[in-house]
Amino acid sequence: PWLMFPSRDSSDKMTAISYGQMVQASHRFAHIVRPRREGLEYEAVAVLLNTDTVLYVATVLGLLRAGFIVSSQALFVSA
């Protein structure tokens, strides 16, 4: 598995996300942001996301797969 985390249904069970599922998610995102890879190659984009790790990685991988140069911006929120 690519990632394992506690199940929503039961704290003593684990849920897994496979490498294949992560690849599919990044492909879907790449096709949403740049269908048929139209437009300029290697445009720079900045990413500022406040989300969970799985969605963040799928988004960044999708942007890379779509041909973008990704600059990930860190956001630190203190309590």
Side-chain angles (χ1 to χ4, degrees), residues 2-3 17-33 47 49 51-66 70:
W2 176 77
L3 179 70
I17 296 177
S18 70
Y19 284 94
Q21 289 171 310
M22 180 53 69
V23 167
Q24 288 176 339
S26 68
H27 272 279
R28 280 193 303 269
F29 190 78
H31 289 291
I32 289 169
V33 296
V47 177
L49 296 174
T51 188
D52 61 68
T53 302
V54 176
L55 185 56
Y56 187 88
V57 171
T59 300
V60 171
L61 289 176
L63 288 168
L64 291 171
R65 185 172 302 279
V70 179

Side-chain angles (χ1 to χ4, degrees), residues 33-53:
V33 296
R34 193 165 174 220
R36 296 175 301 281
R37 288 188 69 113
E38 293 176 343
L40 298 174
E41 286 285 327
Y42 308 116
E43 284 190 278
V45 294
V47 177
L48 179 61
L49 296 174
N50 185 18
T51 188
D52 61 68
T53 302

